[in-house]
Amino acid sequence: MKKFILFLFIFFISYNGYSADLQGVGYGSTMDEAKQEALSDLSASIKVQVFSKHEQTTYKTNDKVKSDYTRFTKLSTNVPLLNPSIYYSREKGKQKAVAKIDNPALYSEKLTDIAEKINDITKDVRPDGDKALNYRILKSVQNLYDEYESYKLVADVLGVTGYIEPNISSAEALKMIVEMQETPPSLEVAAEVLTKEMNEKNIYVAPVMYAGRQDVTEFGSFFKDMLSAKVNSVKVEEDGKNKLSCTYGLSGADYIITCSLITGVSKVLKSSVVKVPKELITMNAVPKTDASSILNSYTPPKTDYKIWIKISTDGDPSFLRENEPFTLLVKANKPGYIYFLTLNNAPEGEANILPLGWNNQFIKYIDESHVNKWVSLGQFRVGPPFGSETLYAFGLEREPQPEYIVPEYTLNKIGYLRNVRPEVLLQDVLYLFKRQQGDKTMAQITYSTAPNRKKMQ
């Protein structure tokens, strides 16, 4: 039997950062507020939105190729930052903080330390050994594997090398664990298995994502509700002491669902995995739109001009329900012109240059008096189609020409699009954005929308 790795890749999405510029900048009325903004910006600058790491082990026997396991991991945007330095100053009456990673080698030391612990605990595990023993050992060390992967993904972005790797890879370890588990007879049981040992209080259940994608499908929103009912959950991430982060992906005839209970700065408390037969998931489970390849082909210009966007709502700003009102806000560190593109990633998804007001204007000017302040773009309300919504903000130092923003085919009389796929509009808007003159920057947020809670069967 020959064993080989078919593919291994890491997918990052980032607009404001470069691995060579390991710093983040934040402003606030207090030093602590500025520090938190700087740390958040530092996370973005090292490409923290890591949506997946895929590692597929493929076996070849008698000229037949079989892919029998794929490892899926979801990490939160709070990646582990090891001892970043914070430098303070004042700028235009505000506290300014600059966060930097001055010693990336700390990641090498951390990874080596975790790998040595894993190797010590798993020294008695043999692929052809006692399965029950392997299962007990590997379950006991599963959290260390999750911790190792979270630090490794950041180390890869920073270009850190020279650390020890576990003798048994995380993919091999999780494969053995899944093989020893019974297949759950229903999604209800699968949710119970995933949350069985997660008894902590105030758990925020993050939207359940298809591995490697931002999209929340019909199944993703349904399973988030099911998981929330199994734990002591809170609606808003800021209210949660811990976060339950789950992804799923198709492997052969099964979906592999993995969950990690995360606290603090991406410290994994517990993790779990189940294998669910494809036939148990009767609702839409695979995202239909993939704008990631378009975004990945775009290299943002190097700039200190930055913009931020966020959602304000009474509930969870990352997971909005049908008819729920919410406010969109934008902030910039320089005066400039900002316009917005919204994409819905549902199979029947829509795309639009976001109108700002009844007069169908779509350019927001941030003047000097509103620099480093949150500015409202207006209030909106959730409606179908549901799924993943992505809002892109394009910032320009110079006043843009409208014909270089809106493709000719896009807007009808009331500002909405017809018969234009989201990925087509995104590609065209990016092309026009590249042609704009002067300093420019981008930002994006992704949030999920779903119909009102379904009754559990």
Side-chain angles (χ1 to χ4, degrees):
M1 179 184 290
K2 289 185 178 179
K3 176 182 174 183
F4 59 94
I5 299 298
L6 182 62
F7 67 86
L8 173 63
F9 69 91
I10 299 174
F11 170 59
F12 301 104
I13 297 180
S14 177
Y15 299 115
N16 289 329
Y18 295 83
S19 59
D21 297 331
L22 303 178
Q23 70 173 32
V25 180
Y27 297 87
S29 56
T30 65
M31 293 176 69
D32 186 63
E33 183 180 327
K35 174 184 176 181
Q36 295 307 315
E37 291 279 355
L39 290 173
S40 176
D41 191 42
L42 174 60
S43 294
S45 71
I46 59 172
K47 304 182 179 181
V48 302
Q49 290 194 352
V50 182
F51 289 100
S52 73
K53 178 184 179 183
H54 296 189
E55 184 173 311
Q56 178 170 312
T57 305
T58 300
Y59 296 90
K60 184 176 182 181
T61 307
N62 298 327
D63 295 326
K64 293 182 178 180
V65 176
K66 179 184 178 184
S67 300
D68 62 358
Y69 183 71
T70 304
R71 167 66 161 143
F72 295 97
T73 300
K74 167 70 169 69
L75 299 179
S76 74
T77 53
N78 290 325
V79 297
L81 300 177
L82 288 176
N83 297 333
S85 300
I86 310 293
Y87 304 91
Y88 295 98
S89 62
R90 289 191 66 84
E91 186 175 298
K92 297 178 181 179
K94 288 271 190 178
Q95 292 286 350
K96 178 182 178 181
V98 177
K100 295 183 178 181
I101 293 182
D102 294 329
N103 190 2
L106 290 175
Y107 284 89
S108 179
E109 297 172 9
K110 184 70 173 180
L111 286 166
T112 295
D113 179 62
I114 299 172
E116 288 176 344
K117 291 178 181 177
I118 291 174
N119 290 340
D120 182 59
I121 297 173
T122 61
K123 61 182 181 296
D124 295 325
V125 173
R126 301 287 184 273
D128 56 350
D130 183 270
K131 289 187 176 181
L133 175 62
N134 288 347
Y135 180 83
R136 287 196 301 270
I137 294 174
L138 293 173
K139 278 293 290 183
S140 70
V141 77
Q142 191 173 352
N143 293 340
L144 283 175
Y145 276 113
D146 290 334
E147 186 179 7
Y148 184 89
E149 286 193 358
S150 68
Y151 283 103
K152 186 179 185 301
L153 286 169
V154 180
D156 289 342
V157 172
L158 301 179
V160 176
T161 59
Y163 50 82
I164 293 177
E165 297 186 4
N167 293 331
I168 300 174
S169 73
S170 60
E172 293 171 324
L174 208 55
K175 176 179 181 293
M176 295 182 197
I177 291 173
V178 171
E179 286 177 343
M180 288 295 296
Q181 289 181 333
E182 294 184 6
T183 301
S186 67
L187 290 176
E188 180 83 16
V189 174
E192 290 175 357
V193 171
L194 287 167
T195 59
K196 183 178 179 181
E197 299 178 357
M198 298 180 182
N199 302 316
E200 286 75 7
K201 294 182 179 180
N202 301 328
I203 297 175
Y204 167 70
V205 180
V208 180
M209 302 287 190
Y210 192 88
R213 299 284 295 275
Q214 304 176 64
D215 312 53
V216 177
T217 62
E218 182 185 5
F219 167 70
S221 62
F222 175 82
F223 203 62
K224 170 188 161 66
D225 287 345
M226 189 170 281
L227 291 168
S228 297
K230 302 297 181 185
V231 298
N232 187 332
S233 62
V234 296
K235 290 184 177 180
V236 184
E237 183 171 1
E238 287 73 17
D239 294 337
K241 183 179 179 181
N242 307 294
K243 177 191 285 189
L244 182 60
S245 182
C246 303
T247 58
Y248 65 97
L250 192 60
S251 179
D254 303 301
Y255 281 99
I256 307 297
I257 306 176
T258 64
C259 291
S260 294
L261 186 63
I262 302 168
T263 191
V265 186
S266 287
K267 179 176 177 58
V268 179
L269 294 178
K270 299 173 182 176
S271 59
S272 55
V273 59
V274 296
K275 178 173 62 176
V276 177
K278 191 188 302 183
E279 57 267 22
L280 286 184
I281 302 179
T282 57
M283 60 199 76
N284 174 45
V286 179
K288 301 299 183 183
T289 302
D290 185 8
S292 61
S293 59
I294 299 172
L295 294 169
N296 202 36
S297 66
Y298 173 70
T299 302
K302 195 170 185 178
T303 177
D304 60 354
Y305 179 24
K306 294 185 180 181
I307 54 179
W308 298 263
I309 44 180
K310 72 175 181 179
I311 289 174
S312 176
T313 179
D314 291 337
D316 180 358
S318 68
F319 194 79
L320 304 175
R321 288 288 178 182
E322 184 176 5
N323 210 36
E324 181 178 351
F326 63 97
T327 301
L328 290 176
L329 301 152
V330 64
K331 182 172 68 171
N333 68 343
K334 291 182 179 181
Y337 300 83
I338 306 175
Y339 56 98
F340 305 86
L341 170 65
T342 62
L343 266 65
N344 182 289
N345 297 313
E348 66 280 17
E350 299 173 349
N352 193 27
I353 306 294
L354 183 67
L356 303 174
W358 291 104
N359 58 359
N360 201 29
Q361 291 184 354
F362 48 83
I363 301 174
K364 184 72 173 179
Y365 177 64
I366 304 296
D367 59 27
E368 186 72 36
S369 65
H370 290 93
V371 166
N372 291 319
K373 296 179 181 178
W374 287 107
V375 177
S376 173
L377 301 175
Q379 191 173 75
F380 304 83
R381 194 172 288 272
V382 176
F386 303 107
S388 170
E389 300 271 359
T390 305
L391 177 68
Y392 302 92
F394 302 84
L396 297 169
E397 182 185 28
R398 300 182 187 177
E399 184 174 3
Q401 297 296 318
E403 61 267 26
Y404 284 169
I405 295 177
V406 184
E408 292 181 359
Y409 59 80
T410 54
L411 297 178
N412 62 20
K413 291 182 180 179
I414 61 171
Y416 291 94
L417 305 179
R418 290 180 179 174
N419 301 320
V420 181
R421 288 299 305 154
E423 64 273 17
V424 174
L425 180 64
L426 176 60
Q427 189 169 19
D428 288 348
V429 170
L430 274 174
Y431 170 75
L432 294 174
F433 181 64
K434 293 177 185 178
R435 298 183 65 181
Q436 298 283 1
Q437 299 298 310
D439 203 4
K440 64 186 76 172
T441 188
M442 278 182 66
Q444 63 98 16
I445 57 170
T446 297
Y447 53 96
S448 307
T449 63
N452 291 321
R453 185 183 298 273
K454 299 179 181 179
K455 293 182 179 180
M456 303 298 180
Q457 300 296 327

